[in-house]
Amino acid sequence: MSWIDLRSDTVTQPTAAMREAMAAAVVGDDVYGDDPTVNALQQRVAQLAGKEAALIAASGTQTNLLALLSHCQRGEEYLVGQEYHTYRYEAGGAAVLGGIVPQPFEIEADGTLDLAAVAKRIKPNDPHFPITRLLSLENTHQGRVIPQAYMQQARALVDAHGLKLHLDGARIFNAVVASQTSLAELAAPFDSVSICFSKGLGTPIGSVLVGSKSFIARAHRWRKMVGGGMRQAGIIAAAMDYALDHHVERLTDDHQHAQQLQAGLSKLAGIQVDPAQTNMVYVHFESATAAEQVHQQLKQQGILVANSPKMRLVTHLGITTEDVQRVLAAFQQALA
Ligand SMILES: *Cc1c(COP(=O)(O)O)cnc(C)c1O
């Protein structure tokens, strides 16, 4: 029996063709700036994002950390959502390593922050307060595409207060495909964007940070300092380049599979299902016990899901239309 793993799009395996591209990569020492495959990939992503420069890093946590460290000095503050990755899921790196103060906000139902509430927390220039420096947003957030009109409003707010604007675009390509917009357009309001390749794009490792030349130069120094300088990193860049060629358009398959899951699950009693915009379906159970039972029964049928009353199902390049049918049948049986 083959496993169907819906826990995350990070479980994707590099395909045979991606491994071939990695094996064939021309490489050099990237700490010397000598890796042609890294240099070309960075140039390609910068151009796609409409920014001056780009920097490859090991993970999205690292590119987000480099962004926070490069925008904010010690004693400065970033504004962020309670459930955004740059606040909650990065082990407090900005505070620990940068002395940067987070100011978190509750997230609205659509995944945005209430900009009026954000404006109220921007600190006046007073020695009592940290210096507010940056607003950090996320797209997609929990599978939701954040409307670009909102991002423009966020840009207007930071401009009015002389702040910078960072986007955690771990799954920005899902937003690109779902909204049929270019990466450059989605990135335009932001001073910096972090992009993951090891999620839906299916590489084994790798993220990219984009921004201005001077910003990326600062991030480059920070990357060295946190031990993120890699040597023959062209092996990774080749996988990322392959993903840009072959794994972007196909994200629509993942989105269709998520919609098929949502449509099928919403017919079942005992659960509530949120609308699926990209590659995530959230299933709400009446109790933790009910969720635990379904989780166990699915596992017996070779289907892996998070064990939570707010259960996240994530589609990705390892999930086929037949898998979706198998998952729906298993849910139906488990909830009967
Ligand atoms: C996965 C993810 C990241 C980065 O995670 P890494 O595992 O460090 O690559 C950042 N932001 C969001 C929203 C994510 O989902």
Side-chain angles (χ1 to χ4, degrees), residues 149-223:
Y150 170 84
M151 299 306 199
Q152 302 293 358
Q153 289 165 15
R155 183 72 239 178
L157 176 69
V158 301
D159 281 344
H161 293 86
L163 310 182
K164 299 292 186 186
L165 189 61
H166 173 68
L167 181 68
D168 178 358
R171 295 187 177 84
I172 190 72
F173 276 107
N174 293 88
V176 165
V177 165
S179 62
Q180 297 188 303
T181 317
S182 69
L183 178 61
E185 199 172 324
L186 292 188
F190 296 91
D191 296 291
S192 55
V193 182
S194 159
I195 304 166
C196 283
F197 283 71
S198 60
K199 307 253 162 108
L201 296 187
T203 73
I205 186 171
S207 287
V208 171
L209 182 64
V210 297
S212 71
K213 267 190 188 147
S214 59
F215 168 83
I216 290 297
R218 293 198 298 281
H220 194 181
R221 185 181 297 266
W222 279 116
R223 189 186 69 176

Side-chain angles (χ1 to χ4, degrees), residues 14-334:
T15 61
M18 181 181 280
R19 286 169 192 255
E20 267 175 43
M22 295 171 78
V26 179
V27 296
D29 188 333
D30 183 48
V31 174
Y32 290 148
D34 277 355
D35 191 305
T37 309
V38 167
N39 292 340
L41 187 274
Q42 289 177 163
Q43 227 168 41
R44 183 178 184 187
V45 178
Q47 192 163 31
L48 279 175
K51 303 293 184 205
E52 285 175 2
L55 185 70
I56 192 173
S59 68
T61 299
Q62 193 170 66
T63 41
N64 279 330
L65 175 66
L66 300 181
L68 293 168
L69 291 170
S70 301
H71 283 305
C72 304
Q73 303 284 325
R74 188 161 172 259
E76 296 185 343
E77 174 186 70
Y78 70 110
L79 311 160
V80 64
Q82 289 279 8
E83 309 293 328
Y84 286 173
H85 209 277
T86 49
Y87 174 63
R88 188 180 166 94
Y89 295 98
E90 297 179 1
V96 175
L97 301 170
I100 304 164
V101 185
Q103 165 66 67
F105 297 88
E106 293 303 327
I107 295 172
E108 303 297 297
D110 63 358
T112 65
L113 305 182
D114 175 348
L115 292 178
V118 170
K120 268 196 210 164
R121 293 288 174 192
I122 297 172
K123 316 288 188 283
N125 183 0
D126 175 314
H128 289 85
F129 305 131
I131 299 163
T132 309
R133 183 63 69 202
L134 175 73
L135 173 59
S136 181
L137 299 177
E138 194 170 299
N139 195 16
T140 61
H141 175 66
Q142 298 190 346
R144 286 195 186 82
V145 179
I146 307 300
Q148 199 59 5
Y150 170 84
M151 299 306 199
Q152 302 293 358
Q153 289 165 15
R155 183 72 239 178
L157 176 69
V158 301
D159 281 344
H161 293 86
L163 310 182
K164 299 292 186 186
L165 189 61
H166 173 68
L167 181 68
D168 178 358
R171 295 187 177 84
I172 190 72
F173 276 107
N174 293 88
V176 165
V177 165
S179 62
Q180 297 188 303
T181 317
S182 69
L183 178 61
E185 199 172 324
L186 292 188
F190 296 91
D191 296 291
S192 55
V193 182
S194 159
I195 304 166
C196 283
F197 283 71
S198 60
K199 307 253 162 108
L201 296 187
T203 73
I205 186 171
S207 287
V208 171
L209 182 64
V210 297
S212 71
K213 267 190 188 147
S214 59
F215 168 83
I216 290 297
R218 293 198 298 281
H220 194 181
R221 185 181 297 266
W222 279 116
R223 189 186 69 176
K224 184 71 204 165
M225 204 185 297
V226 299
M230 297 185 283
R231 301 295 177 177
Q232 285 71 35
I235 301 276
I236 298 166
M240 297 162 94
D241 196 52
Y242 180 89
L244 286 176
D245 287 339
H246 300 280
H247 289 175
V248 174
E249 297 302 320
R250 66 149 306 286
L251 291 172
T252 52
D253 299 350
D254 300 343
H255 299 177
Q256 274 167 15
H257 288 151
Q259 274 168 22
Q260 285 162 11
L261 278 174
Q262 182 220 322
L265 292 173
S266 57
K267 292 184 196 134
L268 303 180
I271 51 173
Q272 294 277 327
V273 188
D274 292 344
Q277 286 189 12
T278 58
N279 67 332
M280 292 184 192
V281 184
Y282 280 90
V283 183
H284 304 269
F285 288 82
E286 281 156 14
S287 68
T289 325
E292 159 86 36
Q293 272 174 9
V294 169
H295 164 260
Q296 276 308 332
Q297 289 196 42
L298 291 176
K299 197 167 180 182
Q300 280 163 19
Q301 305 216 27
I303 299 164
L304 294 175
V305 295
N307 179 11
S308 165
K310 184 184 174 184
M311 188 182 282
R312 184 182 81 160
L313 311 179
V314 188
T315 55
H316 51 75
L317 58 80
I319 303 294
T320 64
T321 307
E322 293 71 45
D323 292 338
V324 170
Q325 297 311 323
R326 226 174 98 191
V327 171
L328 286 175
F331 262 94
Q332 195 167 16
Q333 203 182 333

